[in-house]
Amino acid sequence: MEWIRRYVTQRSAAKREGLSNFEGVLMPSVRKLIEKNARDIYGLRVIPVDVFEFEVDDGEESYVVNLTNKTCHCGSWTLIGIPCKHAMACIVLRKLDANEFVHEAYHIERYAKTYGPKFHGMPGHKMWPTTTFAKPLPPPFRKMPGRPDKRKRKKEADEGKGGNKAATVVREYKPRKCSNCGDLGHYKKKCKNPPKPPTTKEKSKGGRPKKGSSSTQQLTTNDMPCTSSQPQTQSASCVIDQISQIK
């Protein structure tokens, strides 16, 4: 906010100093525009309809100009408040003063009133008088609905690397831990160390045995006891009976 106050103060002072170089009734830029429009009236055909109302032919188009209402159908005069070339053709035809048809906002007198109020200097904040009022607090934070915007806002001059480094928020660095050997600084894909031995917690963990491990035993026909009269050979009916009992 401080740079805004100083910018407005310097601009107002510069505008007041520039008023001494202005001459006449209108601002220099407005006077140049009127002179340009006055040079462009050649080739226009002006047809008087009334004392202050005209039809102006500009090529294939025709525009109605009313000097009393300060209007032209081209819209330029109404938009910026400066007579267009169609209006200037009518003003020259009636031998009137073009300054009277310009909006008063472009007059030097109004310009001087705009930048008339002066700004006074302000000391540093350490010299400000203390008050008993409570310090202003920021509004309460409210989380807006929807996905948060990922675009970063533009930082001020005293934020981040460009200003006060203490205001920079640095993310806490956490070193990587390898899941194979347990060391820090690398991960399993680039690990060259042997795997770490299992801990007591990992040994005590129960769970379903993995497929194909030694703890699982597959039941085969050789391990099944057979009640047949022939101990050396197994009949097909004996195997089917044993399988049905297991199910």
Side-chain angles (χ1 to χ4, degrees):
M1 298 298 292
E2 181 65 17
W3 72 269
I4 297 177
R5 183 189 65 83
R6 289 189 173 182
Y7 172 77
V8 174
T9 303
Q10 294 175 1
R11 180 179 174 84
S12 299
K15 294 296 182 180
R16 285 193 296 271
E17 292 177 1
L19 285 172
S20 59
N21 301 326
F22 295 162
E23 297 178 357
V25 180
L26 302 177
M27 300 294 296
S29 58
V30 179
R31 188 167 59 250
K32 291 180 181 179
L33 183 58
I34 291 177
E35 293 174 357
K36 176 182 177 301
N37 292 338
R39 292 192 299 267
D40 295 341
I41 66 175
Y42 298 101
L44 301 179
R45 183 183 179 187
V46 181
I47 303 173
V49 178
D50 198 356
V51 179
F52 296 106
E53 188 174 355
F54 308 87
E55 288 185 5
V56 181
D57 294 339
D58 185 4
E60 298 180 356
E61 295 292 338
S62 180
Y63 302 93
V64 178
V65 178
N66 192 316
L67 298 181
T68 304
N69 299 331
K70 298 180 180 180
T71 58
C72 177
H73 275 195
C74 71
S76 177
W77 194 1
T78 307
L79 183 63
I80 63 176
I82 300 174
C84 58
K85 63 179 182 179
H86 311 114
M88 286 300 302
C90 303
I91 292 172
V92 172
L93 180 65
R94 294 301 184 194
K95 298 181 181 180
L96 301 175
D97 186 8
N99 297 339
E100 298 178 358
F101 297 93
V102 179
H103 195 275
E104 60 181 4
Y106 299 106
H107 291 193
I108 295 179
E109 183 180 358
R110 178 60 64 88
Y111 185 85
K113 290 181 179 179
T114 303
Y115 294 98
K118 298 180 181 180
F119 295 89
H120 300 283
M122 181 180 295
H125 66 278
K126 294 183 179 180
M127 299 181 182
W128 294 353
T130 57
T131 61
T132 57
F133 298 103
K135 294 183 179 180
L137 299 176
F141 175 76
R142 186 181 66 172
K143 187 177 181 181
M144 302 303 293
R147 186 185 296 273
D149 192 3
K150 294 184 179 180
R151 293 176 296 180
K152 295 183 179 180
R153 65 176 179 85
K154 188 176 181 181
K155 294 185 178 181
E156 298 292 339
D158 57 346
E159 292 183 343
K161 298 181 180 180
N164 187 11
K165 294 185 178 180
T168 306
V169 179
V170 182
R171 180 182 294 180
E172 182 181 359
Y173 173 73
K174 294 183 179 180
R176 297 175 178 176
K177 184 177 181 181
C178 179
S179 60
N180 182 42
C181 64
D183 293 342
L184 301 177
H186 64 279
Y187 47 92
K188 183 178 180 180
K189 187 176 181 180
K190 295 185 178 181
C191 181
K192 298 180 181 180
N193 301 328
K196 64 178 180 179
T199 59
T200 56
K201 292 184 179 180
E202 294 177 353
K203 291 181 179 179
S204 61
K205 286 183 180 179
R208 188 174 180 180
K210 296 182 180 180
K211 185 177 180 181
S213 61
S214 59
S215 60
T216 59
Q217 297 180 358
Q218 297 181 356
L219 188 62
T220 61
T221 57
N222 296 328
D223 299 332
M224 297 179 184
C226 183
T227 58
S228 176
S229 59
Q230 298 179 0
Q232 300 297 331
T233 61
Q234 295 180 353
S235 62
S237 61
C238 179
V239 175
I240 294 173
D241 294 338
Q242 292 177 358
I243 293 175
S244 61
Q245 291 177 4
I246 294 173
K247 293 182 178 181

